[in-house]
Amino acid sequence: MGENLEKIEKKIKLETTRTLPPKLNKVVSSASILIGIFEILFIFNFMFLLYSIFDKLGITIEFLKLDFQDQQVMAFVLAMIFIITFLRYPVMKKQKYLDKVMILDYILIIVGVVAALYKFWRWPTYMVYYDVNQTDVIFGVLAIILVLEATRRAIGWILPTIVAVFLLYGIRDAGFNWTRIIQYLYLDQGIFGIPFYVMTIYVFAFVFFGAFLLRIGVSDYITEFMISVFGTRPGGPAKAAVISSGMMGTVSGSSVANVLTTGTFTIPLMKKAGYPPEIAGAVEPVASTGGQLMPPVMGAAAFIMAQFLGVPYNKLIIAAVLPALIYYAGVYLFIDLETKRLGLKGMPREHFKPLSYFLKKIYILLPIVVITVALVWGIAPHIAAVSSLGIAIWVAWISKDEIPGHEHFYVALALLTTLLMFTSREIAKPVGAVLFILLAVLVGAALFTDKVEFNEKFYISFLFITMTILGKALYMRKEEILLMSGTFGIIFSLIVGYRSKTEGGKKMYSATYESMIDAGKTSTTVMLAAASAGLIQGVLTMTGLVTALGYKLVDLAGGNLLLLLIMAMIFSLILGMGVPTTANYVITSLVAAPAVYTAVAGNPIYDAPVPGYSTAIALLAAHFFVFYFGILADLTPPVALAAYAGSALAGGDFWKTAINSVKYALAGYIGPYIYFTHPEMFLITVQDWTPEVALRVFYYLLATILIMYMMAIAITGHFKSLKVPMVMRAVLVIVGLIAASLHIIPVGIELAFLLGLIFYEKKGGAS
C-alpha cells in the first residue's frame, strides 16, 4: 500500500520531486528550518519579546533589538523557497532530470536567491526615497521570471501561463515602461503583495501547526476515534470518514492532502463495509474538500479574504459556520440514503479499538480546542496557531505511554495552565500564585509519590509551568505568553527529546524537528501560488483591468443576478481545475466578486455594511460565493484532483467516482446561491439580533437542510426501504431548485413530500 500511495501522491500533486543525496537534502532541510526561524523571530516578533523579557529583568541585550520589516522577511522567505523548489523539482518530469541536480538548477538557485535578497537589502532605502534605478529593474525582471519558473515546476503549466498572459497585457498597457512595471510588481506589490504577505504572516503558522499534528498522529487519532464511534452502525465507516475528514480539514486546509491521509484508512474500511469503490472513493474527497470550508481553520484563501475585505478572520469563521454545517449535513444525508439503498450493515465491534481508549486520550484534541477559542476570541491568527502548537507539544509528550507517569495528573496540569495562560495581566499576581502552587504540586508529586517520576513528562511540564509563571511575574499580555508557549515549546521539545533515552522521547524529538522541515516543504506550493497570484493582482490593479472585466461580466449577464452568479460559478470552477485555490480566489475575487457587487448595488440589504466594519454585505457574500466554488473545483470533472485521489485509493473508475463526488457535495453547489440571496445566514451580517431575526435565520437553516435532503432522495432514488418513482424524483428536483429561494410555499411543498414519503414507507409501500 505504501508504494501505491507514493505513486498516487506523485500523480495527484502533479509533481515529481527528486530524491536528493544527503548533502543536498540537508540544504533543503536547512532552508525549510530557516523559514521557520525567520518567521518566529521577525514575523511573530519573538526577538522583541525576548528583548522585553530581559529588559524587565534588568538585562539589556542590544542584539535582540534587531528587526526587519515585513517586506524584507517576505524577500528572505522567497529566497529560501527558490532553494527548496529548484533542488526538489526538476526542470522536466523525465528520469534523467530526476536522477541528479543539473547545473541549470544551481544557476537558478543563485540568481533567485540574489534577486530575492536584493529586495531584502534594497527595501529600507527604497522606503525613504521611492526611487527606481536600473539595478532594481534587472533584479525585478529576474525575480518575476524565476517565480514563474518555480511555479511551473512545483504546480504545473496552467497558473504560470495565465500569469504570463496578464504580464504581457500589463507590459503593453504600461507602454514598456519597465520602471513603472517593476516598481509595481517587485518593489511595492506584485510578488510581495497581499497574497504572499498573508501566506508569510498567517498561513505558514497554520502549516507548521498542521505538520506537527500530522507527525504526532492527531489525524490518525481523529479517524480511528470516529471509526470507533460510528463503525458498528450501518454505513459507519463512511459517516466516520465525513466527520474525521472535516475535523482534520480544519487543520490541513487541503482537500487532496486530506484524502491521502485519512483516506488511506477510511476508504479500505468503507469497501470492507460493502461500499462499491466508486462510492467509497467519492465520500472521502467530498468530506476532505469540505475541510477547507470548515472553521476554525479554513483554506489559505480565507486568510486572504480577511485582508481583502478588511474583516478580521475571527469574524469570517463565524460567517462560515452555517454554510459548513449545511455542507456536512448534506453529505451525511446522502451517505445515509446510499447506505440504506445498498442495505449495508455495521461492522463488528472487534474490528475497532475500544471506545474507552479514545476517551482516555481525548485530551489530544486540546490544541484544536485552544486554536478555536483563541481565534474566536480575536487573538491574531498566527499567534493562535503558535500558541496551539505549544499546547500540542505538551499533550503529545503526555500521551506517550512509553514514558511513565500518571497521565490524567499531567493532563490536569496542562489544562489548568492553559486556562491560566489566557487570563489578562490585570490579575497576574493571583494567577501567578496559582501557577506556583501547581509547580509545587508537580515537584512534590515527583519527590513523594510514585505517580510522577523525574523523566521527560516531568521536565516538559516543569518548563511549561515555569515559563507561564515568568510571563505572569513580568506582567506580560496573554498574547505574549501564548507566543512564548509555542516558541519555547519547540525549544523545550527539541532539548528534552534530544537528551531522552526512551523511544517515546526520540519520537517526539523527531516529530518536532521533522515538522519544521515539513512546514517549509509543504508551504512551497502555496507560497509560489500566492506570489504568482500577486503578480496577477498587480497587473489587474496597475492597468485598471479589474474594473473593466467586472463591468464586462455585468454587461454579458444583462444585469440578471442569477445569470451573473452562474457565470461567476463557471469561471471559478474552470479556473480552479488547473489553478490552486489561493490563486483561483485572488483572480475571481478581483474580477467576479466586484461584478456581482455592482449588480446588486442600490439594494438596501446588500448596501448595508457588515456591523462594525465598512465592508458592504454584498461584497462579503460575493467573496464567499467565489471562494466556495474555487474549492469545489477539486471535486468537479474533468480534472477533480480530490476525486482522482479517492478513485486511485479505492481502485474505482475515475468518472463514476467524480460524478458521485459532485452528487454528494450538492449542498456545496446549491448552498452558495442560497447564502448570497439570504446573507443573514452569514450571521455577522445581521444588523440587530431580535427574536424575529433569530427565528428567520433558524428557518433558513432548517429549510436549506430540508432542501438538501429532498434533493438527495431525488438523486439517489431511495428513501429508507422505499424506491422513489422517476416522475416523483423529477418533481422533487424541480421543486427543490425552486425552494432554494427559501420561499415558504415551495419549502412547504418539500416538507409535504417528505411527510408523505414517511407515511407511505411506514404503511409498507412497494420497495
Side-chain angles (χ1 to χ4, degrees):
M1 185 65 188
E3 292 179 1
N4 292 336
L5 180 60
E6 187 177 348
K7 292 178 182 177
I8 292 166
E9 284 178 332
K10 288 181 178 179
K11 289 181 180 178
I12 293 166
K13 293 179 181 178
L14 301 180
E15 66 182 48
T16 305
T17 56
R18 293 186 178 103
T19 302
L20 296 169
K23 287 184 178 179
L24 290 180
N25 203 39
K26 285 182 180 178
V27 173
V28 170
S29 298
S30 299
S32 300
I33 292 171
L34 280 173
I35 293 175
I37 291 173
F38 233 71
E39 290 266 353
I40 290 170
L41 292 180
F42 303 111
I43 291 295
F44 305 157
N45 290 322
F46 189 66
M47 284 281 279
F48 178 77
L49 181 61
L50 283 177
Y51 176 83
S52 176
I53 291 172
F54 283 111
D55 187 57
K56 288 177 180 179
L57 293 172
I59 304 169
T60 302
I61 303 177
E62 291 297 326
F63 172 76
L64 295 177
K65 295 173 72 173
L66 176 67
D67 189 28
F68 297 114
Q69 298 180 47
D70 291 342
Q71 289 281 333
Q72 290 179 288
V73 177
M74 286 192 282
F76 180 84
V77 169
L78 183 62
M80 297 302 104
I81 293 293
F82 281 146
I83 293 173
I84 296 170
T85 303
F86 291 126
L87 283 178
R88 296 188 71 221
Y89 299 92
V91 65
M92 295 179 68
K93 316 298 184 186
K94 292 183 178 179
Q95 196 60 45
K96 66 177 181 179
Y97 299 110
L98 282 167
D99 289 338
K100 65 176 182 177
V101 179
M102 315 295 286
I103 294 176
L104 174 64
D105 299 316
Y106 291 116
I107 293 172
L108 293 180
I109 289 171
I110 294 169
V111 175
V113 169
V114 171
L117 293 184
Y118 176 80
K119 167 70 181 281
F120 181 97
W121 171 82
R122 180 78 169 89
W123 180 253
T125 306
Y126 173 74
M127 279 294 292
V128 176
Y129 300 105
Y130 283 97
D131 61 322
V132 182
N133 56 46
Q134 194 63 33
T135 308
D136 297 336
V137 172
I138 292 170
F139 283 115
V141 170
L142 289 173
I144 291 171
I145 292 172
L146 289 174
V147 164
L148 293 180
E149 170 59 10
T151 305
R152 182 194 68 79
R153 291 190 181 200
I155 299 173
W157 279 96
I158 298 177
L159 179 56
T161 301
I162 294 171
V163 176
V165 170
F166 276 96
L167 284 173
L168 290 173
Y169 177 85
I171 292 168
R172 186 185 68 83
D173 185 81
F176 295 89
N177 183 341
W178 290 101
T179 297
R180 179 173 176 239
I181 293 166
I182 295 305
Q183 183 170 24
Y184 215 97
L185 300 183
Y186 173 67
L187 291 174
D188 282 340
Q189 294 292 323
I191 294 173
F192 304 102
I194 289 177
F196 198 76
Y197 170 84
V198 170
M199 293 299 137
T200 308
I201 302 296
Y202 301 122
V203 175
F204 182 83
F206 288 93
V207 171
F208 193 3
F209 176 61
F212 185 80
L213 292 194
L214 288 172
R215 280 283 174 182
I216 63 173
V218 170
S219 63
D220 295 337
Y221 170 83
I222 291 173
T223 303
E224 292 182 34
F225 186 14
M226 292 301 104
I227 288 289
S228 180
V229 172
F230 293 98
T232 57
R233 303 178 186 182
K239 294 170 182 176
V242 171
I243 298 172
S244 61
S245 296
M247 290 179 71
M248 268 315 295
T250 65
V251 176
S252 71
S254 169
S255 52
V256 176
N258 208 3
V259 173
L260 292 172
T261 50
T262 56
T264 56
F265 183 70
T266 58
I267 289 176
L269 265 181
M270 282 188 269
K271 291 175 67 179
K272 193 172 183 179
Y275 287 99
E278 288 77 17
I279 292 180
V283 170
E284 182 60 50
V286 173
S288 297
T289 298
Q292 292 191 70
L293 308 173
M294 176 64 76
V297 184
M298 300 156 68
F303 293 92
I304 299 177
M305 191 194 304
Q307 292 292 315
F308 279 178
L309 293 175
V311 176
Y313 182 76
N314 68 316
K315 297 297 182 183
L316 289 187
I317 61 178
I318 295 172
V321 167
L322 290 188
L325 291 177
I326 289 168
Y327 178 88
Y328 276 102
V331 178
Y332 189 93
L333 292 170
F334 253 108
I335 291 167
D336 188 59
L337 290 169
E338 289 280 34
T339 301
K340 290 170 181 174
R341 179 179 70 83
L342 295 168
L344 301 181
K345 306 295 182 184
M347 297 179 69
R349 166 58 65 185
E350 56 265 23
H351 281 70
F352 318 114
K353 290 181 181 179
L355 191 58
S356 58
Y357 169 83
F358 296 103
L359 293 175
K360 181 183 176 184
K361 299 281 187 182
I362 193 72
Y363 63 86
I364 289 176
L365 299 181
L366 181 60
I368 297 178
V369 175
V370 170
I371 201 170
T372 304
V373 171
L375 287 170
V376 173
W377 203 335
I379 291 173
H382 57 296
I383 301 300
V386 173
S387 64
S388 301
L389 177 61
I391 305 305
I393 288 171
W394 194 355
V395 298
W397 275 100
I398 293 171
S399 70
K400 294 302 174 186
D401 295 326
E402 307 96 313
I403 305 173
H406 194 282
E407 195 169 7
H408 292 143
F409 172 76
Y410 281 111
V411 171
L413 287 179
L415 185 58
L416 285 170
T417 305
T418 302
L419 289 172
L420 294 173
M421 283 182 189
F422 278 88
T423 56
S424 63
R425 57 181 170 183
E426 284 73 22
I427 55 172
K429 282 186 177 180
V431 169
V434 173
L435 284 164
F436 190 80
I437 292 170
L438 289 179
L439 189 65
V441 169
L442 174 63
V443 175
L447 289 171
F448 304 112
T449 75
D450 58 356
K451 301 292 185 182
V452 176
E453 298 180 15
F454 287 101
N455 58 23
E456 293 90 334
K457 287 183 181 179
F458 172 86
Y459 298 132
I460 285 288
S461 301
F462 183 89
L463 289 169
F464 266 102
I465 298 172
T466 303
M467 175 209 66
T468 312
I469 291 173
L470 176 65
K472 293 299 179 181
L474 297 177
Y475 292 93
M476 295 170 66
R477 293 180 295 112
K478 61 177 176 287
E479 289 84 358
E480 294 174 321
I481 294 175
L482 291 171
L483 174 59
M484 281 175 59
S485 74
T487 308
F488 279 124
I490 297 168
I491 298 169
F492 296 160
S493 188
L494 290 173
I495 293 173
V496 175
Y498 182 76
R499 301 287 299 175
S500 176
K501 303 298 182 184
T502 66
E503 190 64 29
K506 291 175 182 177
K507 286 180 181 177
M508 278 303 300
Y509 173 79
S510 176
T512 309
Y513 176 74
E514 294 294 335
S515 296
M516 298 176 71
I517 298 171
D518 289 347
K521 290 180 179 178
T522 304
S523 65
T524 300
T525 52
V526 292
M527 292 280 191
L528 289 171
S532 296
L535 287 171
I536 295 174
Q537 180 194 8
V539 171
L540 286 171
T541 51
M542 180 179 73
T543 61
L545 186 61
V546 60
T547 305
L549 287 175
Y551 282 120
K552 187 66 176 176
L553 277 176
V554 174
D555 291 341
L556 286 173
N560 185 297
L561 178 61
L562 178 60
L563 181 57
L564 184 60
L565 289 174
I566 292 172
M567 289 171 61
M569 175 190 74
I570 294 171
F571 183 32
S572 299
L573 289 174
I574 292 175
L575 192 63
M577 290 177 189
V579 173
T581 305
T582 303
N584 181 346
Y585 167 72
V586 169
I587 298 169
T588 52
S589 65
L590 290 171
V591 176
V596 174
Y597 171 67
T598 302
V600 296
N603 188 320
I605 296 175
Y606 292 107
D607 281 348
V610 175
Y613 305 93
S614 60
T615 305
I617 288 174
L619 206 54
L620 174 82
H623 276 249
F624 264 109
F625 187 88
V626 297
F627 171 70
Y628 290 144
F629 284 111
I631 289 171
L632 288 171
D634 278 344
L635 295 174
T636 309
V639 179
L641 288 179
Y644 178 84
S647 67
L649 288 173
D653 178 78
F654 164 71
W655 281 101
K656 291 180 181 178
T657 303
I659 290 169
N660 282 334
S661 296
V662 172
K663 288 194 308 186
Y664 301 157
L666 186 67
Y669 290 94
I670 295 177
Y673 291 90
I674 297 175
Y675 315 140
F676 186 87
T677 52
H678 300 82
E680 285 173 317
M681 295 184 76
F682 290 117
L683 302 181
I684 64 170
T685 54
V686 175
Q687 302 294 329
D688 184 26
W689 280 100
T690 63
E692 180 188 354
V693 171
L695 284 173
R696 185 162 64 243
V697 172
F698 187 61
Y699 163 74
Y700 291 161
L701 173 63
L702 293 182
T704 304
I705 292 175
L706 173 65
I707 292 165
M708 300 310 164
Y709 190 33
M710 299 308 291
M711 293 288 279
I713 292 171
I715 291 170
T716 60
H718 281 75
F719 175 73
K720 296 185 178 179
S721 61
L722 184 68
K723 186 174 181 180
V724 183
M726 185 59 72
V727 174
M728 184 178 288
R729 292 171 65 183
V731 172
L732 283 175
V733 170
I734 293 169
V735 176
L737 292 174
I738 296 172
S741 66
L742 299 191
H743 191 281
I744 195 166
I745 293 177
V747 171
I749 294 172
E750 289 275 79
L751 181 59
F753 265 121
L754 177 60
L755 294 175
L757 285 171
I758 293 171
F759 178 79
Y760 187 62
E761 196 271 338
K762 283 187 176 180
K763 288 294 184 180
S767 60

